[in-house]
Amino acid sequence: MGATPPPRVKAIFFSEFHHEAGPILTYQAPENFLSKDVFDVVHVFIITKPQLYRKIITVNTVSLKILGCPQSVEDKKYKRNALLFNFGFVFDPNAETTVFQPVVKKLSGCFRTLELESGFLSRDETRSRLPAVLAEVLQELNSKGFCSVPVDEANTIHLKVIPESLETVIVRDQDVPIFCIDRAEIESTPWDLTIKQILPCIDGFNHVLMIACQAEVDVSLVQLCIQHLLHYGAIKLISVFQVMLHLAHCTVEISCCSHLGS
């Protein structure tokens, strides 16, 4: 039985908290798709309380469904000491949007990383690129189911909608990823920012939780990246207990050889 085709994305928007105006709808593709009246009704679920940061939020109305992942970057350089934002994907009200949850979470996580690294969202000269980026992401996801969209000279966002029937591998905290192909080939591939961030931590010994700690990336986002690498056949997973048994076996062999040589 084949996978169910993913629903069509009707619009993508960028929303943020303005220190004077409160939650605002800053950019959207296509332009003016979401009215101010609709946004005023749902914005409490778009720019949320801290308990919901980095969690998938689904907002259902009579006429549409919105999928988002609220983000926060704390720093004293911002008004009110934090940048609060969200990227919302808009669908028909009855659309089954489960397959888009990893996409939404990855997109918002990538821009959080960009903000931490270069202030992409808080600088006018870079944030002005967002309308073009959102339009290209929308067009490519709807036409191809995946996209590779440059956001600046050094960074490209890669997103892919994976049909539910292919999402069979559950990545656990104690799983250890190991490379299936040459590491140099994997590292030369133009992955997105978060995958690039975790690749140096994949050494055949670190489990998922350790990779998240070393890379300073949220563990749920690391799990999404691992699923992405699994889908492309770049890695496979083994249990941390298999690694421990292998290390114990090697230690026994070394110990035996030392005794034989003495």
Side-chain angles (χ1 to χ4, degrees), residues 170-177 205-213 217-224 226 237-241:
I170 297 174
V171 180
R172 301 166 298 179
D173 290 353
Q174 67 270 27
D175 286 334
V176 178
F205 299 100
N206 286 337
H207 52 70
V208 169
L209 197 57
M210 182 62 71
I211 291 170
C213 291
V217 174
D218 184 81
V219 65
S220 63
L221 201 53
V222 172
Q223 289 168 334
L224 290 175
I226 295 297
L237 295 178
I238 61 174
S239 166
V240 68
F241 304 110

Side-chain angles (χ1 to χ4, degrees), residues 117 176-179 183-184 186-189 191-208 210-217 222 225-226 229 235:
E117 291 182 348
V176 178
I178 58 176
F179 292 116
R183 185 186 186 108
I186 294 175
E187 291 179 340
S188 65
T189 302
W191 304 107
D192 64 48
L193 292 169
T194 312
I195 291 181
K196 287 180 180 178
Q197 195 169 339
I198 72 168
L199 281 178
C201 304
I202 298 177
D203 60 2
F205 299 100
N206 286 337
H207 52 70
V208 169
M210 182 62 71
I211 291 170
C213 291
Q214 290 185 1
E216 298 182 345
V217 174
V222 172
C225 291
I226 295 297
L229 291 168
I235 61 169

Side-chain angles (χ1 to χ4, degrees), residues 72-84 112 115-116 122:
S72 171
V73 180
E74 291 79 25
D75 197 296
K76 291 182 179 179
K77 69 180 180 180
Y78 303 117
K79 301 286 186 181
R80 302 200 180 186
N81 299 321
L83 173 66
L84 310 181
R112 184 177 189 275
E115 176 61 25
L116 287 168
S122 55

Side-chain angles (χ1 to χ4, degrees), residues 48-57 68-74 85-86 105 108-109 112-113 116 216-221 224:
T48 67
K49 300 296 184 183
Q51 300 91 321
L52 298 177
Y53 294 164
R54 304 190 201 180
K55 292 181 170 57
I56 291 293
I57 305 294
C69 183
Q71 296 283 354
S72 171
V73 180
E74 291 79 25
F85 67 92
N86 200 346
K105 192 163 192 174
S108 66
R112 184 177 189 275
T113 300
L116 287 168
E216 298 182 345
V217 174
D218 184 81
V219 65
S220 63
L221 201 53
L224 290 175

Side-chain angles (χ1 to χ4, degrees), residues 128-197:
S128 61
R129 302 172 192 165
L130 274 177
V133 170
L134 296 183
E136 191 169 352
V137 169
L138 176 68
Q139 192 275 327
E140 292 197 12
L141 285 181
N142 279 334
S143 62
K144 301 186 294 186
F146 63 90
C147 68
S148 296
V149 180
V151 293
D152 57 27
E153 296 78 9
N155 298 294
T156 298
I157 290 180
H158 302 274
L159 301 171
K160 184 178 179 65
V161 182
I162 301 175
E164 282 188 285
S165 61
L166 299 179
E167 293 179 348
T168 55
V169 179
I170 297 174
V171 180
R172 301 166 298 179
D173 290 353
Q174 67 270 27
D175 286 334
V176 178
I178 58 176
F179 292 116
C180 296
I181 57 179
D182 183 65
R183 185 186 186 108
E185 180 182 343
I186 294 175
E187 291 179 340
S188 65
T189 302
W191 304 107
D192 64 48
L193 292 169
T194 312
I195 291 181
K196 287 180 180 178
Q197 195 169 339

Side-chain angles (χ1 to χ4, degrees), residues 3-22:
T4 304
R8 185 173 182 82
V9 186
K10 298 177 75 68
I12 303 176
F13 65 82
F14 170 71
S15 175
E16 62 189 322
F17 186 88
H18 187 273
H19 66 282
E20 293 179 346

